[in-house]
Amino acid sequence: MTVATGAMAQSVRLAGRVLDHTQAPARGATVAVYPAAKTAVTDTAGYFSFADLPRGRQQITVTFTGHHQAMLEVNLRKHLNKVADITLIPFTRVLGEVVVSDNYAGRNRRESSLQIEAVNSDYIRRNLGGSLMQSLERLPGVKTIGIGSGNSKPLIRGLGFNQVVVVDNGIKHEGQQWGADHGLEIDQFAVNRLEIIKGPASFVYGSDAIAGAIDIKPAPPPSQDTLGGAFDLAGRSNNNQYGGSLQLYGRKGAFFFDTRLTHTAYGDYRVPADTVYVYSYAVGLNNRYVRNTAGREWNLHASAGWMGSRMQSVFYLSRVYNKTGFFANAHGLEPRRVDAALHDRSNRDMLMPNQEVTHHKIINRSVFRPGRHRLETELGFQRNFRQEWNQYVNHGYMPPVYPGHMQVPSTLERQYDKRVYSLNIQDEITLGRHALTFGANGEYQRNRIDGWSFLIPSFDQVTAGAFVYDKLRLNDALFLHGAARYDYGRIDMKEYTDWFSSDIVSNGDTVRQYLQRAGNLTRMFNSVNWSAGVNFTPGAFTLKANIGSSFRMPIAKELGANGVNYHYFRYEKGDPGLSPERSYQLDLGLGWTATGWSVELSPFFNYFPNYIYLNPTSQHDYYYGAGNQVFHYAQSRVMRYGGEAQVRYRFLEHWSAEILGEYLYNEQLSGEKKGYTLPFTPPPSLLLNVSYHPVFRKTLHESYVSLDYRLTAKQDNIVPPERKTPGYRVLNFSAGSRVRLKRHDLTIHLLVQNVLNTRYLRHTSFYRLIQLPEPGRNIILSVKIPFSVSING
C-alpha cells in the first residue's frame, strides 16, 4: 500500500486537445512527451491524455498529416495538468519526413471499455511467423488453429472460425472461414497496424464478432512531396522459405499512391519426429520432413487517393494468391495409398493433394467532414476462389472409374467461388461531452460450389445491421460507454443431388437412386443487442468494465453440411433447424502503472444459451466413405470464463522483464456432451521474457536481445473423441536493431523459434489429431531496407 501511494505521488496527469487549422478536432494526431518518452493519439474529439508522467518540465510535440509539427514546453507541478487547445498550422512549404513512434495501446486503454491489443508492423516483423496469425500468437488470449506452416485461422479466447471477424481497411474480410485447412488471405507484409478486440465487438463489426475482431487499419498516407518505398526480405530455415516484399509509394500535394508486391516460396517443413500415427496407421517421415507441405504466394496490393482538409478518398486493390500442398498421409480416406517415394524426391514440389486460393478485393474508403460531423463510407467487392485438387478415388457407390462425360475434371475434388458486396456508413459527431457514432452496414454473399466431392451446398446470404454508440466523457479520467445494435440476416441454400446413383433398400427391394444431399432452404434471423461500459483512470490505476450481448446466425456448413471432411476423417452433417447463437459477456480490466512497472489483468465471463458445436455420434457412414464416424451440428448451453495477465518491469538501465499469462475454462451445461468442455480449448500458459536493450551512440538504434520461455500446461479437459495433450516448454530467442545508413534506417530482426528442438503437440493445431508435433527449430531472419527522395519542384 505504501508503494502504490508513493508511486501516485511521484506521477502526474496531463490532458489537452488538438485542433486543425479549421478549428475542427484533429482526430488521430500524434502527441509525444519528452523526456518522458511517451506517445498518445488524439480521439475523435481531438483530446489526448497521459496518466503517469513525472513531475517537472516536459516538451510536447504534436504531429498531424498535412500540418506543421507543433511544439510547446510545460511544467508539470499539479496532479492534473491541462494545456490550452493546440491549434495546428497547415503546410505552406515542404517538410522532411517525420517518423514518430505511436502508442496505440496506451490510447485504447485510456478511452475504451473493451479489451484491445494494438500491434504495428514492427511487432509483426519481430515475431514473424508463416502467416499473419502465427505472428500474433505471442499475445495473451490469441491462438491459431490451422494446418501446415502457412495456413492458420485466429482463435480469440478459444473461439474462432465465423465467431471472429477480420476487418481489412474497413471491410469485413470474407473467405471460406469455416475451414481449418486454409488461412486468412492477408499479406502480413502489407499490414501497417492492427487492433485485436477481445470479447464481443458486434455492435461495430457485425454479428460474427461474437468472440472478437481483428481490425487491420489503413496505412497512413505518405509524407508530403515524397517518393519512396522499402524492400522487405525474409527467410526461414525449417522449411527453407525465402520471400520478399517491395513497396513503392509517392505523394504530390493531395494525391498519393502506395503499392506492394510480395512473393514467398517454401518447402516441406520439418518436425522432431521420425514417425507419426494417422490414427492407428504408422507413417514414416523421410528425414523428418512432412511430405507435400510446400507452398508459394504471390500478392499484389495497390492504393491511390486524394487527401483534403474536409474530404479524403482512397481506393484499395489487392490480389492474394496461395498454393499449398496437404500432408499426403493426412488427406483423404486412404492414408495408405500414398506414393511416398514420389513425394520424397523433392521437398519443394506441390503434388496432389493440394489447394489453390485466390482472393481479389476492391475497396473505396472515403471520409467527409461537414461541419462537426465525420462521415465515413466504405464500399467493397471481394471474390474468394478456392480449389482442392486430388486424384479421383471412388468410395461407397461412386463408379470405380471416373466417367468421361463429366464436365468437372477428375482431379478437381472441391471448388468454392464466393463473391461479396459490402457497404458501411458511419457518422461521428461530438456534442459537448458526448462522442456519438451512428452506423449501418450491409453485405451480400453468393457462394457457388463445384467438384466431384460434396460437403456444403451453394448459398446466397444477405446481412444488414445498424447501431448507435455513445462515449460520454465525464472528465479526463472517467468515460461511460453505451451501444445498441439491430441485425437482420437471410440465407438461401441451394439443392444438391449426387451425380452418381446409390443402392437404396425400399420395402425389401433394392433400387438405384440419385440421393439428395441438400435441399432448398431459406432461413431468416434478426436480433437486438446492447453493450455498456465504463473506463476510469484515476492516476496510476485503470479500471474498465464492459457488459453486453451479441448474436451470430448459423452458417451454411452448420445448416447444410452433408459429406466427408477429408481433413478430419469424419462425416459431417448439418442441422437446418439450428437457432442463432447468442452470447452474454462481462469483461473487466484492471491496470496499474508506476516508474518501471506495468500490470494488467483482464478477466471475463461468458454465457451461451445455445452454442453451436459439432457433436460425434455412434453412427458411421458407408455411402460416401470408408465407415467414417458421423458428426452432426447441435446446440447446448455453454459457460466460459478465464482471463489474461500481463506484468512488465524495467530494471537497471537497459533490462526489462515480462510475464504474460492466460487461462480459459469451458463447460457444456446441456446436451449430449453435458459436463464436457469445447473442442480446441487452449490450455493455461505462461510466457516469461527477459530483454536487454543496449544503447549504441552511433549507427545502432533500438537494439534488443530477448528470450521467451513459454510454459504450457497439459490439457486433460477435453470433449470426446478429442485426445489429451501433454504440457510442454519451449524456448525462443530474438534480437534486432535499426542500423543508420545516411538518411534511412535499415532494420534487422533475428528470431529463433524452438531453440532446443523440443517435440510437443499444440492443442489448437489441426495436426494434433494425428499426433503430428509442431515444427522443430526454426531460424527466421528479416531485413527491411527503406528508401525515399523529395520530389518538391
Side-chain angles (χ1 to χ4, degrees):
M1 188 69 182
T2 303
V3 174
T5 304
M8 292 181 64
Q10 295 297 322
S11 62
V12 299
R13 306 188 75 246
L14 172 67
R17 185 172 65 158
V18 181
L19 306 175
D20 65 16
H21 65 286
T22 66
Q23 295 297 302
R27 178 182 185 267
T30 300
V31 183
V33 179
Y34 300 98
K38 293 185 177 295
T39 58
V41 177
T42 56
D43 63 13
T44 57
Y47 287 99
F48 66 89
S49 64
F50 296 89
D52 54 349
L53 297 177
R55 294 179 183 272
R57 293 189 176 276
Q58 298 284 335
Q59 179 179 281
I60 301 175
T61 303
V62 182
T63 306
F64 188 53
T65 302
H67 293 74
H68 287 285
Q69 187 182 74
M71 300 177 64
L72 68 153
E73 190 173 282
V74 295
N75 191 359
L76 305 180
R77 296 179 177 178
K78 301 181 295 183
H79 177 66
L80 177 60
N81 301 267
K82 294 184 178 181
V83 297
D85 289 349
I86 303 172
T87 302
L88 303 177
I89 301 174
F91 280 126
T92 56
R93 59 183 177 85
V94 176
L95 289 181
E97 182 179 13
V98 178
V99 180
V100 179
S101 176
D102 206 348
N103 188 354
Y104 292 100
R107 178 194 60 151
N108 288 323
R109 280 196 300 269
R110 288 189 299 273
E111 298 177 4
S112 175
S113 62
L114 299 173
Q115 304 301 321
I116 299 177
E117 295 278 0
V119 168
N120 58 21
S121 58
D122 188 62
Y123 180 93
I124 294 173
R125 285 166 175 80
R126 286 183 61 161
N127 300 277
L128 196 65
S131 66
L132 173 62
M133 287 312 306
Q134 291 172 349
S135 300
L136 300 176
E137 277 197 296
R138 190 178 183 275
L139 299 171
V142 179
K143 290 290 178 286
T144 64
I145 180 171
I147 175 174
S149 57
N151 298 313
S152 57
K153 293 284 178 60
L155 282 177
I156 297 180
R157 291 174 169 173
L159 299 178
F161 302 108
N162 278 69
Q163 296 164 324
V164 175
V165 162
V166 176
V167 177
D168 184 17
N169 291 318
I171 291 294
K172 179 182 172 185
H173 179 82
E174 291 285 2
Q176 307 290 340
Q177 291 100 315
W178 49 267
D181 48 352
H182 58 285
L184 292 175
E185 298 84 5
I186 300 290
D187 180 1
Q188 60 181 327
F189 287 104
V191 176
N192 178 262
R193 65 183 180 95
L194 59 82
E195 293 179 353
I196 299 175
I197 297 91
K198 301 175 187 177
S202 59
F203 73 87
V204 174
Y205 298 101
S207 63
D208 282 358
I210 199 167
I214 298 173
D215 191 349
I216 301 172
K217 299 294 187 180
S223 301
Q224 285 276 7
D225 298 327
T226 57
L227 178 66
F231 289 103
D232 281 285
L233 303 174
R236 298 162 61 91
S237 66
N238 183 278
N239 59 354
N240 298 311
Q241 175 182 312
Y242 63 86
S245 185
L246 172 62
Q247 178 192 23
L248 292 174
Y249 63 79
R251 180 173 177 180
K252 183 66 175 177
F255 294 93
F256 70 91
F257 72 91
D258 194 346
T259 61
R260 180 178 291 274
L261 176 65
T262 300
H263 173 61
T264 300
Y266 50 90
D268 300 341
Y269 72 93
R270 301 186 71 184
V271 296
D274 298 306
T275 304
V276 297
Y277 293 87
V278 182
Y279 294 90
S280 59
Y281 178 65
V283 175
L285 301 180
N286 182 42
N287 292 325
R288 299 190 169 186
Y289 282 102
V290 183
R291 58 179 59 93
N292 202 48
T293 55
R296 65 172 180 264
E297 292 185 23
W298 280 102
N299 306 326
L300 177 64
H301 299 263
S303 63
W306 184 86
M307 302 287 295
S309 60
R310 290 290 183 179
M311 181 264 187
Q312 64 186 54
S313 184
V314 186
F315 282 91
Y316 302 92
L317 295 88
S318 65
R319 178 186 185 272
V320 175
Y321 169 80
N322 173 275
K323 180 177 180 179
T324 55
F326 293 125
F327 178 26
N329 298 100
H331 180 90
L333 299 171
E334 301 292 344
R336 296 174 177 82
R337 297 186 187 180
V338 174
D339 190 340
L342 175 64
H343 283 286
D344 294 341
R345 289 176 188 172
S346 171
N347 295 324
R348 302 195 72 86
D349 59 3
M350 286 168 284
L351 306 176
M352 289 187 283
N354 63 61
Q355 66 174 344
E356 292 182 84
V357 182
T358 305
H359 195 99
H360 291 91
K361 192 178 296 180
I362 303 173
I363 298 172
N364 173 259
R365 187 172 185 271
S366 298
V367 178
F368 308 89
R369 294 185 177 88
R372 305 182 63 172
H373 294 262
R374 183 182 184 276
L375 182 63
E376 182 178 311
T377 65
E378 286 119 4
L379 292 168
F381 168 75
Q382 302 173 68
R383 185 189 181 193
N384 184 275
F385 187 66
R386 177 170 179 254
Q387 294 175 306
E388 290 188 25
W389 303 94
N390 197 14
Q391 296 290 349
Y392 173 74
V393 178
N394 69 303
H395 290 281
Y397 292 98
M398 299 169 67
V401 178
Y402 193 73
H405 62 81
M406 294 283 289
Q407 295 182 354
V408 177
S410 63
T411 54
L412 182 59
E413 187 175 0
R414 287 171 180 161
Q415 176 178 294
Y416 305 95
D417 187 358
K418 178 187 281 191
R419 298 167 192 248
V420 184
Y421 303 84
S422 306
L423 168 64
N424 300 330
I425 301 175
Q426 185 170 294
D427 184 21
E428 299 175 359
I429 182 173
T430 302
L431 299 175
R433 296 179 179 272
H434 294 268
L436 293 167
T437 303
F438 303 89
N441 47 48
E443 182 182 89
Y444 168 68
Q445 295 185 28
R446 179 183 183 272
N447 203 359
R448 295 295 181 263
I449 66 170
D450 208 341
W452 51 261
S453 178
F454 175 81
L455 181 59
I456 67 170
S458 298
F459 66 88
D460 294 320
Q461 180 175 298
V462 176
T463 57
F467 71 90
V468 58
Y469 167 56
D470 181 20
K471 180 171 69 175
L472 174 60
R473 179 177 173 271
L474 296 180
N475 53 52
D476 292 334
L478 182 59
F479 293 85
L480 300 180
H481 307 261
R485 180 181 176 92
Y486 172 77
D487 279 289
Y488 168 83
R490 170 180 172 138
I491 184 169
D492 294 290
M493 297 194 304
K494 311 302 179 183
E495 179 185 17
Y496 180 89
T497 303
D498 281 339
W499 55 270
F500 57 90
S501 59
S502 301
D503 288 347
I504 302 297
V505 177
S506 177
N507 297 325
D509 296 326
T510 300
V511 296
R512 302 282 294 183
Q513 290 185 6
Y514 292 90
L515 300 182
Q516 185 185 76
R517 308 283 288 278
N520 291 316
L521 177 69
T522 298
R523 293 286 308 276
M524 290 180 286
F525 310 92
N526 65 85
S527 179
V528 175
N529 293 284
W530 53 272
S531 177
V534 60
N535 188 290
F536 183 44
T537 311
F541 292 92
T542 298
L543 169 64
K544 59 172 63 179
N546 194 85
I547 186 171
S549 68
S550 54
F551 109 116
R552 180 182 71 86
M553 60 181 282
I555 61 175
K557 185 184 181 186
E558 294 164 338
L559 295 170
N562 194 2
V564 179
N565 190 330
Y566 295 114
H567 305 287
Y568 288 93
F569 297 90
R570 69 190 183 198
Y571 193 95
E572 298 181 5
K573 190 170 181 60
D575 181 355
L578 290 175
S579 302
E581 269 184 352
R582 293 198 63 85
S583 171
Y584 302 92
Q585 181 154 328
L586 171 64
D587 282 276
L588 297 176
L590 303 171
W592 174 70
T593 57
T595 304
W597 282 95
S598 174
V599 180
E600 297 178 45
L601 300 175
S602 306
F604 71 91
F605 178 84
N606 190 199
Y607 173 70
F608 285 86
N610 48 1
Y611 184 87
I612 299 175
Y613 70 103
L614 197 56
N615 182 45
T617 72
S618 58
Q619 301 174 345
H620 292 80
D621 158 67
Y622 293 97
Y623 281 105
Y624 305 104
N628 294 278
Q629 187 177 10
V630 176
F631 288 63
H632 73 88
Y633 281 96
Q635 293 186 286
S636 68
R637 293 187 292 113
V638 168
M639 174 186 65
R640 308 172 68 250
Y641 60 82
E644 300 85 41
Q646 304 182 45
V647 180
R648 299 179 177 93
Y649 176 54
R650 191 175 187 92
F651 59 97
L652 301 178
E653 185 178 0
H654 306 296
W655 291 85
S656 64
E658 187 177 29
I659 301 175
L660 305 177
E662 56 188 336
Y663 173 80
L664 172 64
Y665 178 82
N666 296 321
E667 183 179 346
Q668 298 187 43
L669 304 178
S670 65
E672 297 180 14
K673 291 296 185 293
K674 180 179 179 180
Y676 286 102
T677 185
L678 297 175
F680 294 103
T681 296
S685 71
L686 193 69
L687 187 145
L688 308 177
N689 168 268
V690 61
S691 298
Y692 174 58
H693 309 272
V695 176
F696 303 95
R697 294 185 177 182
K698 293 185 178 180
T699 58
L700 300 182
H701 304 274
E702 300 180 24
S703 303
Y704 67 94
V705 178
S706 182
L707 281 176
D708 278 353
Y709 187 56
R710 181 176 292 279
L711 298 88
T712 303
K714 63 182 180 179
Q715 183 56 285
D716 291 337
N717 189 20
I718 61 170
V719 53
E722 271 195 321
R723 295 182 179 180
K724 297 179 180 180
T725 306
Y728 57 87
R729 295 168 176 82
V730 176
L731 180 68
N732 297 330
F733 168 83
S734 62
S737 184
R738 293 185 184 272
V739 183
R740 176 59 53 89
L741 298 176
K742 294 183 179 181
R743 297 178 56 244
H744 301 290
D745 288 345
L746 179 149
T747 306
I748 301 176
H749 295 297
L750 172 68
L751 174 63
V752 183
Q753 298 174 327
N754 196 0
V755 174
L756 303 179
N757 204 35
T758 302
R759 174 173 177 158
Y760 67 99
L761 298 174
R762 187 160 52 90
H763 195 76
T764 59
S765 169
F766 157 77
Y767 278 149
R768 172 184 58 86
L769 301 174
I770 57 172
Q771 303 297 297
L772 182 66
E774 292 301 294
R777 185 183 300 110
N778 193 13
I779 302 173
I780 305 170
L781 179 66
S782 65
V783 180
K784 181 178 181 179
I785 310 171
F787 56 89
S788 66
V789 296
S790 174
I791 57 175
N792 182 32

